Amino acid sequence: MRRSLLIRLAIPAIAISAFAAIAILAAMPAQAQFGGPASTPATQVHDPAALKPPAGARVAIYEFEDMECPVCGNVNPLLKEAAAKYNLPWLRHDFPLPYHAWSMQAAVNARWFDSKSKKLGDDYRDQVFASQSSITTLDVLRKFTEKFASDHKIVLPFAVDPQGTLTAAVKADFALGQRIGIEHTPTIWIVTSGSRGAPFVEVIDRNRLYQIIDQALADTKSGK
């Protein structure tokens, strides 16, 4: 009888504990996500000063990315396609999440290739995103990067950032993201200059990317 009573008492306790665990997980902030309105909350922008296109541009794509983030990898071809289709500047900012093993080093590598040419840096980012599933450790990343450099007839130095300047630049991007209010990757805005509408619109649902760009171009048509 006593054993039966203990079992009866234990079952509700287990159920309550499981429910509490689910509630805690649901309340945790997401770190790497990008989908539809139900899955990604809008970013609360604390400092909008940086959310603008470069000089001379009416509209631009403004992104914070983590090169080890699978969702960033999935959306990267879409952003590349949109930038080419509309001939828009694509402002790519580094936001390497601290729990990712190699994203910080990948961002530093990309900055090193940027120093050779912006196109080379962008090509490196694109290829890392396309090869994410095969890059499992820092050693694998190094071999991948050496091959990329060799394929482009460039000698990769043993230390790509001996003075720490590239690392500092990545950290500056991360700090900028924190000031703006970034909580997950990718975080993407369509930013405008001289717009009759919103100065920037976050792309939460990737299916609306082109629609948001079309609206931004319409809103800035007479603003150039």
Side-chain angles (χ1 to χ4, degrees), residues 96-117:
L97 300 174
Y99 57 82
H100 279 158
W102 51 262
S103 60
M104 180 68 179
Q105 186 60 53
V108 171
N109 294 344
R111 297 275 178 156
W112 186 83
F113 287 113
D114 282 340
S115 70
K116 306 304 176 185
S117 79

Side-chain angles (χ1 to χ4, degrees), residues 102-218:
W102 51 262
S103 60
M104 180 68 179
Q105 186 60 53
V108 171
N109 294 344
R111 297 275 178 156
W112 186 83
F113 287 113
D114 282 340
S115 70
K116 306 304 176 185
S117 79
K118 185 66 172 66
K119 183 181 183 306
L120 192 61
D122 284 341
D123 287 347
Y124 176 77
R125 290 177 176 87
D126 293 341
Q127 288 198 27
V128 168
F129 280 131
S131 305
Q132 270 183 343
S133 61
S134 64
I135 302 174
T136 53
T137 66
L138 280 167
D139 286 342
V140 175
L141 175 68
R142 173 70 189 191
K143 291 175 183 176
F144 174 92
T145 305
E146 288 173 346
K147 184 178 186 308
F148 177 87
S150 176
D151 289 346
H152 290 81
K153 307 296 188 292
I154 296 173
V155 177
L156 186 73
F158 176 76
V160 297
D161 188 26
Q163 305 301 319
T165 53
L166 303 178
T167 300
V170 173
K171 289 181 176 179
D173 256 9
F174 190 88
L176 172 63
Q178 288 181 312
R179 289 198 304 275
I180 292 173
I182 301 299
E183 293 184 348
H184 56 75
T185 58
T187 299
I188 303 159
W189 286 279
I190 302 304
V191 297
T192 62
S193 176
S195 174
R196 298 189 304 274
F200 52 86
V201 177
E202 186 172 0
V203 182
I204 296 175
D205 181 356
R206 72 183 70 184
N207 296 315
R208 295 190 62 240
L209 174 63
Y210 283 12
Q211 178 186 342
I212 294 171
I213 292 174
D214 286 337
Q215 186 62 55
L217 290 171

Side-chain angles (χ1 to χ4, degrees), residues 49-112:
L51 296 179
K52 56 187 178 182
R58 293 160 43 202
V59 178
I61 300 170
Y62 198 102
E63 179 194 19
F64 281 88
E65 64 186 19
D66 174 298
M67 294 174 70
E68 198 173 343
C69 160
V71 190
C72 296
N74 289 339
V75 78
N76 188 70
L78 177 63
L79 297 179
K80 184 177 181 178
E81 178 184 86
K85 174 181 172 65
Y86 290 94
N87 194 27
L88 297 179
W90 180 9
L91 307 178
R92 307 172 79 167
H93 293 276
D94 294 307
F95 200 78
L97 300 174
Y99 57 82
H100 279 158
W102 51 262
S103 60
M104 180 68 179
Q105 186 60 53
V108 171
N109 294 344
R111 297 275 178 156
W112 186 83

